[in-house]
Amino acid sequence: MNEPFHYRNGELYAETVPVARIAKAVGTPFYLYSAADLRARYRSLAEAFAPAAPMICYAVKANSNQAVLRLFANLDAGADVVSEGELRRALAAGVPPQRIIFSGVGKTRAELAAALDAGIHQINVESVPELRGLSELAAARGQTARIAIRINPDIDAKTHSGITTGRKQDKFGVAHGEVLAAYRLATQLPGVEPVGLAVHIGSQIVDVAPSRAAFTRVAELVRAVRGDGMAVHHVDLGGGLTVPYGDEKPATPVQYAAMVREIFGSLDVGLAFEPGRFLVAAAGVLLARVLYVKDGERRIVVVDAAMNDLVRPAMYKAEHGIRPVREPVRGAVSTPADVVGPVCETTDTFTRDRDLPPLAEDDLVAFMTAGAYGAVMSSTYNTRLLVPEVMVDGDRFAVIRARPSYDDILKLDMVPDWLAEPKGPA
């Protein structure tokens, strides 16, 4: 895959468009996505599994902008959703309901009803109480829900504890030792049709060993369920493939596909995957402008982006590459710097003691690998405006989510009549 963000003639480009030109048109801060990179990453994954043609359901939670969803839908992608809102987004963006999988540990009755009404491909059930509740709901409506039982395989993905989902102490899935009984119950309940098993042990998995261990347990359960006289047609292997944020060397799609074929090749099951971060992270950057440089005991670079725009460094201690939009001159000396935002929190810090080239007020900088869990997790903390999103495609770009106005934010609040200021003299 070609690098979507690169220097040309001394300045940073997104595909064939100068990033500074987009910043002048949109204002900072803003998110910028490369359509070419999104397409290339999806195709690299699909081609790695050819000719098996598994169902690739993009994990909407990674980046839920409808332009991103439409781009993937145009490539025949499905969607993995975890809320009614994400379900509605996927449908509005043109994802066929037959290619939508609904995951999540706390689906409400209203959300399950919405999934039934939409006629989606599959609901991944994560507990016996959920299974019974879905059965009751579907049967009362005269409908049948296709389900997979999500397994908690008790496998540690060896990633950040906040994004690990497959250990026995985690809230997700049915315990490995209870899956056979849950599947048997599903075959007996009205309104549900068990069609397979599902697993997802976490995000940002660099080493394939934890995935191999989890998938091996799933394969063993497929054999056990079939040995008990029940059918297993599909296996949903979740997401997990990642991209490097630093010097990590994660598995390639080809290596990942080879491992999957080795484990499931003889089982005659349809496969589904739920990639998110792998597809969108490296295709996106957050552009910000330097407000001030405080030179004292420490060099502190204050930018106009903040933790409410990109929360990963504050939440996960994540580190994003930082590139000046104007390429540093040859021989420029990098020195340690803290890069911080304007929010009144010490945690509003993107990095500490990072070796960076000289930066001055009004310089533009790009926070790299920010296409996943960036804009989608942003907020209006400190009554800051949500960051706009922009997509570049070749030599053209478009705003795909506009920056709201302060009036838009203020109008969301409603002051009750009884708090109105009293009339007359104080």
Side-chain angles (χ1 to χ4, degrees):
M1 286 173 283
N2 294 326
E3 171 60 55
F5 304 101
H6 55 276
Y7 288 115
R8 182 189 300 179
N9 301 323
E11 63 178 316
L12 189 67
Y13 273 64
E15 298 191 23
T16 63
V17 182
V19 168
R21 183 195 302 169
I22 304 174
K24 184 177 181 180
V26 177
T28 57
F30 67 95
Y31 279 95
L32 179 61
Y33 311 128
S34 163
D37 199 59
L38 294 171
R39 294 188 189 103
R41 289 183 174 278
Y42 181 86
R43 286 168 176 152
S44 73
L45 188 58
E47 289 167 4
F49 282 97
M55 182 180 292
I56 299 177
C57 295
Y58 166 64
V60 174
K61 60 182 174 289
N63 184 322
S64 64
N65 190 286
Q66 290 185 64
V68 173
L69 301 183
R70 175 63 64 87
L71 182 148
F72 287 136
N74 289 345
L75 296 172
D76 206 28
D80 162 50
V81 304
V82 295
S83 70
E84 182 178 347
E86 287 190 351
L87 172 61
R88 288 175 179 269
R89 279 184 175 270
L91 292 171
V95 180
Q98 314 90 275
R99 298 186 69 81
I100 295 177
I101 293 174
F102 200 147
S103 304
V105 71
K107 310 177 196 72
T108 67
R109 293 294 181 96
E111 289 178 318
L112 292 172
L116 289 169
D117 288 341
I120 68 170
H121 173 73
Q122 179 176 297
I123 297 173
N124 288 348
V125 170
E126 304 215 14
S127 67
V128 170
E130 181 189 353
L131 173 62
R132 291 187 182 277
L134 177 58
S135 166
E136 178 184 324
L137 178 68
R141 295 160 61 95
Q143 296 173 293
T144 299
R146 289 164 49 92
I147 69 161
I149 302 294
R150 177 172 175 177
I151 302 161
N152 183 319
D154 192 21
I155 299 293
D156 189 343
K158 303 298 183 183
T159 184
H160 190 285
S161 61
I163 53 177
T164 297
T165 61
R167 303 165 300 185
K168 64 181 178 181
Q169 67 266 35
D170 296 325
K171 66 181 182 179
F172 301 94
V174 176
H176 175 260
E178 300 171 9
V179 169
L180 192 59
Y183 206 98
R184 189 180 300 117
L185 174 63
T187 65
Q188 300 165 357
L189 290 173
V192 293
E193 177 192 0
V195 296
L197 300 171
V199 70
H200 175 67
I201 62 171
S203 176
Q204 205 172 329
I205 302 171
V206 175
D207 185 358
V208 299
S211 295
R212 178 185 291 276
F215 295 171
T216 298
R217 287 200 161 181
V218 174
E220 291 169 352
L221 278 169
V222 170
R223 296 185 180 95
V225 171
R226 286 175 172 173
D228 205 35
M230 297 175 285
V232 179
H233 302 295
H234 304 283
V235 171
D236 177 356
L237 296 178
L241 271 174
T242 190
V243 296
Y245 287 86
D247 58 3
E248 312 98 307
K249 297 188 183 303
T252 66
V254 170
Q255 293 168 331
Y256 187 75
M259 180 263 292
V260 171
R261 278 193 293 269
E262 178 186 335
I263 296 172
F264 293 98
S266 63
L267 286 181
D268 188 28
V269 290
L271 297 176
F273 297 93
E274 300 168 0
R277 188 188 307 270
F278 172 78
L279 295 179
V280 296
V285 296
L286 172 64
L287 267 295
R289 188 177 299 276
V290 176
L291 297 176
Y292 309 106
V293 179
K294 298 171 64 175
D295 282 314
E297 290 187 9
R298 306 176 68 85
R299 180 165 69 123
I300 301 176
V301 179
V302 185
V303 299
D304 61 359
M307 61 184 283
N308 71 294
D309 306 314
L310 178 62
V311 75
R312 296 187 69 253
M315 183 177 289
Y316 301 122
K317 306 301 180 187
E319 293 281 350
H320 289 260
I322 301 174
R323 289 192 200 174
V325 169
R326 185 174 61 239
E327 187 174 19
V329 298
R330 186 182 298 274
V333 177
S334 293
T335 57
D338 297 349
V339 180
V340 305
V343 160
C344 292
E345 302 274 355
T346 303
T347 50
D348 185 24
T349 300
F350 293 106
T351 192
R352 291 187 183 277
D353 291 323
R354 177 87 63 91
D355 282 341
L356 293 173
L359 291 168
E361 289 183 15
D362 209 39
D363 282 353
L364 295 170
V365 295
F367 293 89
M368 309 304 294
T369 323
Y373 306 103
V376 78
M377 295 179 75
S378 61
S379 74
T380 58
Y381 185 48
N382 281 189
T383 310
R384 288 171 51 83
L385 300 177
L386 287 174
V387 178
E389 296 172 85
V390 181
M391 181 178 287
V392 63
D393 194 357
D395 61 357
R396 58 190 175 180
F397 67 90
V399 174
I400 58 175
R401 185 179 75 176
R403 194 189 313 272
S405 68
Y406 286 110
D407 283 344
D408 293 331
I409 293 179
L410 295 177
K411 287 176 182 176
L412 294 174
D413 299 343
M414 292 175 286
V415 179
D417 292 343
W418 47 267
L419 281 179
E421 187 174 345
K423 297 179 181 180

